[in-house]
């Protein structure tokens, strides 16, 4: 229920902010008596596409804390928590970023994620399963991987890519909708029902196709984050951590779908479904590290 409320609240905020922004820009409509105003349409789509992504980025820490029920370590209550905080602090200093918030979420599956709107205001969280099933050197490598995501600015880059993709999906879907409404069905008046139905269907289809671009970048950033973990800790520790994750596939992940892209292990898919993977196969990631570092 909380996740549904947060989803609705985010969308209401997106619509409100986008509407105000469009009014300030003087873009109140993209349909004219002569047809589509492509300049106004492009501005409309860019604003809605980018604003939605930016708001999601700004709310990412809050949403992650609520959906994953992350317990932020304000003050260490035991030796393990103290080790976790000091390890993150050391890795953050080494990577040249601000100290992230550190948290733990309950999950039997070993996993971790990092999120936040900039490299000096991030959140790094690990699962209870990760702490229980990996040794400290492996956990440190996983933390190095997540710190790598933050230092590389992956959250911001992914947000920009998603915003541009959203904008172009909206743009071309409305062009297709207008074509069907005017050229095929010969509707001479304002936009008819065919425009809205076709636009909706086109957005669904184009959205699925365009998402492969976002997933491709997500997979690329995992290799870079693995390299960061290897550089910040050691190549052997990073390979060992990934190998330990391989052995945990018998334990299903209970991470919500909206957080999968931010986790270290992701999901294992093959064949055509591989285009929609947020993470490369662990075998490929291990091979990449072994070839790069000779481990």
């Amino acid at each position: 229920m909380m996740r549904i409320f947060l989803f609705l609240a985010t969308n209401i905020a997106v619509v409100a902010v986008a509407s105000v922004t469009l009014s300030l820009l003087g873009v109140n409509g993209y349909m004219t008596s002569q047809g589509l105003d492509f300049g106004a349409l492009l501005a409309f789509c860019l604003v809605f596409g980018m604003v939605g992504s930016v708001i999601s980025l700004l709310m990412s820490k809050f949403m992650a804390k609520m959906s994953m029920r992350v317990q932020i370590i304000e003050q260490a209550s035991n030796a393990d928590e103290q080790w976790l905080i000091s390890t993150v602090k050391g890795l953050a200093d080494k990577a040249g970023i601000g100290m992230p918030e550190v948290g733990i979420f309950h999950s039997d599956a070993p996993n971790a994620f990092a999120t936040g709107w900039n490299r000096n205001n991030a959140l790094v969280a690990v699962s209870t399963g990760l702490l229980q099933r990996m040794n400290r050197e492996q956990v440190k490598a996983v933390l190095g991987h997540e710190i790598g995501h933050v230092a590389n600015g992956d959250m911001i880059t992914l947000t920009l890519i998603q915003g541009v993709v959203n904008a172009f999906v909206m743009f071309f879907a409305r062009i297709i909708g207008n074509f069907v409404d005017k050229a095929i069905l010969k509707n001479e008046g304002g936009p008819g029902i065919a425009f809205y139905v076709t636009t909706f269907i086109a957005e669904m289809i184009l959205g699925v196709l365009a998402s492969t671009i976002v997933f491709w970048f997500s997979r690329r950033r995992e290799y870079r984050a693995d390299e960061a973990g290897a550089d910040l800790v050691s190549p052997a520790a990073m390979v060992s951590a990934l190998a330990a994750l391989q052995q945990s596939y018998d334990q299903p992940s209970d991470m919500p779908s909206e957080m999968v892209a931010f986790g270290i292990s992701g999901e294992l898919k093959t064949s055509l479904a591989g285009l929609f993977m947020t993470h490369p196969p662990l075998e490929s990631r291990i091979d990449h590290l072994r070839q790069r570092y000779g481990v």
Side-chain angles (χ1 to χ4, degrees), residues 53-236:
S53 294
V54 170
I55 289 178
S56 296
L57 175 65
L58 294 175
M59 296 187 66
S60 62
K61 279 177 59 176
F62 174 74
M63 295 290 287
K65 290 176 184 178
M66 298 300 293
S67 64
M68 298 301 298
R69 299 184 179 178
V70 177
Q71 296 180 338
I72 300 298
I73 304 176
E74 302 287 353
Q75 186 173 1
S77 60
N78 54 54
D80 288 337
E81 290 185 357
Q82 183 59 56
W83 176 84
L84 193 59
I85 291 177
S86 61
T87 300
V88 172
K89 178 66 167 63
L91 293 171
D93 289 343
K94 192 173 181 179
I97 65 171
M99 175 62 180
E101 287 187 273
V102 181
I104 299 174
F105 60 96
H106 180 74
S107 173
D108 292 333
N111 217 328
F113 68 86
T115 190
W117 70 275
N118 73 49
R119 65 204 307 267
N120 294 316
N121 186 21
L123 164 68
V124 173
V126 298
S127 70
T128 51
L130 184 82
L131 298 175
Q132 293 167 359
R133 300 176 68 165
M134 288 191 181
N135 61 47
R136 285 194 170 183
E137 194 66 10
Q138 292 170 333
V139 173
K140 186 176 181 179
V142 169
L143 293 172
H145 171 102
E146 301 304 336
I147 291 294
H149 276 310
V150 177
N152 292 336
D154 287 340
M155 284 80 75
I156 297 175
T157 306
L158 189 62
T159 296
L160 293 175
I161 293 174
Q162 184 67 68
V164 171
V165 166
N166 289 344
F168 279 97
V169 166
M170 294 173 64
F171 182 75
F172 287 110
R174 280 156 180 76
I175 290 177
I176 294 171
N178 184 68
F179 176 78
V180 171
D181 191 42
K182 303 297 184 186
I184 297 180
L185 299 182
K186 307 298 183 181
N187 178 27
E188 300 296 336
I193 187 65
F195 170 80
Y196 297 105
V197 172
T198 304
T199 296
F200 176 78
I201 294 173
E203 280 188 343
M204 296 300 101
I205 296 173
L206 293 176
V208 171
L209 296 175
S211 66
T212 60
I213 299 172
V214 179
F215 290 133
W216 176 85
F217 170 76
S218 181
R219 292 193 296 273
R220 292 290 80 188
R221 71 178 189 160
E222 289 305 314
Y223 288 117
R224 294 175 59 212
D226 286 342
E227 292 174 10
D231 293 336
L232 291 171
V233 184
S234 76

Side-chain angles (χ1 to χ4, degrees), residues 20-35:
V20 171
T21 304
L22 289 171
S23 296
L24 292 175
L25 292 175
V27 183
N28 297 314
Y30 49 81
M31 300 293 295
T32 68
S33 57
Q34 288 76 36

